[in-house]
Amino acid sequence: MVAVGGDERGTTERVLTLLGLLQRRRVWTGPELAERLGVTARTVRRDVERLRALGYPVHAGQGVGGGYRLGPGRDLPPLLLDDEEAIATAVSLLAGASGAVAGAGDAALRALAKIDRVMPARLRRQVRALADSVEYFGGGREQVDAEVLMTLARACGDEVEVGFGYPSGDEVRRRRAEPYRLVASDRRWYLLAYDLDRDDWRSFRVDRMTDVSARTWHFRPRVMPDAAAYVQEGVASRVYPHQARFLVHAPAATVRAQIPASAAVVRPRDGERCEVVAGAANLDIVLMHMVVLGHDFEVLEPPELAARCRVLAERLLSVGAKAVPGAPGAQES
């Protein structure tokens, strides 16, 4: 029994080594693989069949330039990475999750969570050290602690509760939540979670969370709202004391290109019109932003904002009438 187990383990290790060789170079001849693995050419052929049975498309070519090569398949099979490759991949994914690569944040974080789950502690320390030594400039999201992102990503996948400190007024309070999704905006990372203390859905800014820890007990998943839409509407509207809705006479794609996702929610009405929902501490600010878009628009809510349009329009006309003589746009007396 012990001998058989050892043989099976040896075969598994040899097949994994063969897979690593095929992933490292485009073509290997049978004798080359046999020499590397220390086996016969017949054993190489058997191990190739084992890989094929596992779904790896290993092709065999005859003649000059022929040999074994790993081809593309319908699905991406598991990849074998050596230490240096694993570190380089993880650091690159951390850069993508941080927003250094446009549009890659969500996918990069999911892939990083998979790698981090199986990465040895010695490699994880090297990844963290390298990531801490890299800084980014220009646009993208505000930097957040990679360890916090990883903890939250794992908690979402494992469906376990999390605890963290979060600002509330002038103090930081401990919160308990069921984490469901991490959502990346154009500027920040957010966690969509069910707040157990307030018994309702909430979105939390990851950069404001402190002392994040995952608990050991699982929760039963609830019916979740659309994560991206919920977070976007909260960031652009619900957090402000005043909200407004507008009907804009321009396609939704055109307006989305003019307004940051964190500033307003843009919903298509038809091919030529869209609805814009935004919030602010002062609705005059939202109104002026709508004006500078350069499209015709109508105020849907609140009703008093339409009257405010007239007040601001008259004020602008008054300023125009008092323009310095001779200046562009000044009225002749």
Side-chain angles (χ1 to χ4, degrees):
M1 289 296 291
V2 174
V4 173
D7 290 344
E8 291 178 350
R9 183 165 56 253
T11 300
T12 300
E13 292 175 352
R14 189 179 65 246
V15 170
L16 289 175
T17 303
L18 172 60
L19 177 59
L21 292 172
L22 292 171
Q23 290 178 340
R24 186 179 306 171
R25 203 171 84 183
R26 186 171 183 273
V27 179
W28 292 85
T29 65
E32 287 177 326
L33 291 174
E35 182 180 357
R36 286 294 189 101
L37 297 172
V39 296
T40 64
R42 182 179 181 183
T43 300
V44 170
R45 290 193 295 271
R46 288 179 177 175
D47 289 347
V48 166
E49 289 302 321
R50 290 187 175 98
L51 286 177
R52 288 170 176 165
L54 292 172
Y56 292 93
V58 182
H59 305 297
Q62 302 295 326
V64 178
Y68 294 104
R69 64 182 179 86
L70 189 63
R74 290 182 301 177
D75 301 311
L76 180 66
L79 300 176
L80 288 182
L81 303 176
D82 60 29
D83 287 4
E84 291 183 355
E85 292 169 339
I87 292 172
T89 300
V91 171
S92 298
L93 290 171
L94 277 171
S98 298
V101 181
D106 298 331
L109 184 58
R110 291 197 302 271
L112 182 60
K114 293 178 181 179
I115 292 178
D116 188 79
R117 192 182 298 275
V118 297
M119 184 177 288
R122 57 186 173 81
L123 297 186
R124 188 178 291 114
R125 286 192 294 270
Q126 294 183 54
V127 170
R128 296 293 184 269
L130 278 173
D132 290 342
S133 68
V134 178
E135 295 185 6
Y136 308 101
F137 64 90
R141 298 183 196 100
E142 294 184 2
Q143 298 296 300
V144 296
D145 190 332
E147 193 65 42
V148 171
L149 273 180
M150 292 303 309
T151 298
L152 294 175
R154 285 193 295 264
C156 289
D158 295 340
E159 296 178 346
V160 293
E161 292 181 12
V162 292
F164 52 90
Y166 202 76
S168 178
D170 296 330
E171 62 179 335
V172 175
R173 295 182 179 178
R174 195 69 184 169
R175 308 290 282 270
R176 298 182 309 119
E178 298 174 354
Y180 282 78
R181 292 290 186 275
L182 280 163
V183 179
S185 76
D186 52 348
R187 296 176 56 194
R188 299 184 177 93
W189 280 100
Y190 295 89
L191 173 70
L192 173 67
Y194 193 85
D195 192 324
L196 295 172
D197 298 315
R198 288 162 175 75
D199 197 24
D200 199 4
W201 293 99
R202 290 288 189 274
S203 57
F204 300 94
R205 276 177 50 175
V206 175
D207 60 299
R208 291 183 173 177
M209 301 168 73
T210 58
D211 298 325
V212 179
S213 61
R215 301 174 183 272
T216 56
W217 52 85
H218 294 261
F219 60 82
R220 180 175 297 177
R222 306 171 190 266
V223 178
M224 180 184 67
D226 184 303
Y230 184 92
V231 172
Q232 185 193 11
E233 187 169 343
V235 170
S237 177
R238 286 196 302 266
V239 296
Y240 295 100
H242 303 287
Q243 291 79 39
R245 289 196 308 125
F246 303 90
L247 179 64
V248 181
H249 294 258
T254 301
V255 177
R256 284 197 185 103
Q258 297 177 285
I259 305 177
S262 56
V265 178
V266 181
R267 303 182 181 126
R269 276 288 189 95
D270 51 45
E272 299 300 323
R273 299 183 304 169
C274 64
E275 182 179 316
V276 174
V277 181
N282 186 331
L283 286 180
D284 283 358
I285 297 176
V286 176
L287 198 54
M288 295 310 298
H289 284 172
M290 296 302 301
V291 171
V292 298
L293 291 179
H295 310 298
D296 292 337
F297 67 91
E298 304 169 29
V299 175
L300 299 178
E301 291 180 348
E304 60 271 19
L305 191 56
R308 189 63 183 166
C309 289
R310 181 178 296 275
V311 174
L312 293 178
E314 291 175 350
R315 183 177 301 169
L316 291 172
L317 287 172
S318 175
V319 172
K322 297 175 183 177
V324 178
Q331 293 183 350
E332 297 293 340
S333 58

